[in-house]
Amino acid sequence: VIEGLHPTDLIDKNFSSIHFAYINKIKTIPIGSNVIFASCEIDCRDWLLTFNGKTEIYTLDEVLKIQMESLINAIINLVTTNKFKVWVHPMYYMPVGTLEIVQSFNQFIETNIINLKNDNIKFINILNKMLIEVEDNIIFNKEYSKDGEYLNANYIKLVEESMN
């Protein structure tokens, strides 16, 4: 577990302390291991609109695409370099108002994983099973959420079912 890991921390040119923590943590996992890969949340901070040493302004869609591509590239690198079998956990952090972004992000990741046609990379497709509709709003099912945003241990059974 690397606290505060965002997809942008996975970009090879990112020299942050979190990026180095990620690299060092990967080194502790034996070659050929089965790995569940979960990035904690989508990074929508304002600084991202001018990140990566560029002075131009990025749109939110461009920032999200950069994150999605960095996540896919990091996973491909793990499989290629470390011979891991990787199950990619969906994004799940959903404060009010970001569910559509999370769903789009996960759809992009899942589609790209399918298009890779690599048996060593699978997507854990559980997000829709954790959501319910209440008064025309889609929210986390309380069975899987401790506070409406963060997961509780009950969702593990969905992960297990998806991986089998």
Side-chain angles (χ1 to χ4, degrees), residues 141-152:
N141 184 333
K142 290 180 182 177
E143 179 181 356
Y144 306 115
S145 173
K146 64 180 182 180
D147 60 5
E149 292 182 20
Y150 295 97
L151 300 174
N152 64 30

Side-chain angles (χ1 to χ4, degrees), residues 18-29:
I18 294 174
H19 179 80
F20 286 113
Y22 165 77
I23 297 296
N24 288 328
K25 183 63 75 172
I26 295 303
K27 290 177 182 177
T28 67
I29 303 171

Side-chain angles (χ1 to χ4, degrees), residues 3 7 10 22 35 41 81 93 117 129 132 142 155 158 160 162:
E3 186 68 31
L10 302 172
Y22 165 77
V35 175
E41 62 188 59
T81 305
Y93 176 73
K117 297 179 179 169
K129 294 176 183 176
I132 58 171
K142 290 180 182 177
Y155 95 102
L158 297 176
E160 290 172 345
S162 178

Side-chain angles (χ1 to χ4, degrees), residues 5 8-11 13-22:
L5 179 67
T8 49
D9 296 314
L10 302 172
I11 297 171
K13 295 176 184 172
N14 182 341
F15 297 111
S16 70
S17 60
I18 294 174
H19 179 80
F20 286 113
Y22 165 77

Side-chain angles (χ1 to χ4, degrees), residues 102-119:
V102 171
Q103 288 174 309
S104 295
F105 195 99
N106 284 324
Q107 185 60 52
F108 179 92
I109 299 299
E110 182 177 19
T111 299
N112 277 270
I113 288 171
I114 290 168
N115 290 340
L116 289 173
K117 297 179 179 169
N118 186 324
D119 290 336

Side-chain angles (χ1 to χ4, degrees), residues 63-88:
V63 170
L64 291 172
K65 186 173 184 204
I66 290 167
Q67 292 181 73
M68 291 182 275
E69 289 172 350
S70 70
L71 184 61
I72 292 291
N73 289 335
I75 293 162
I76 291 169
N77 187 43
L78 291 176
V79 169
T80 304
T81 305
N82 300 325
K83 309 297 184 231
F84 292 160
K85 181 166 187 177
V86 178
W87 283 268
V88 181

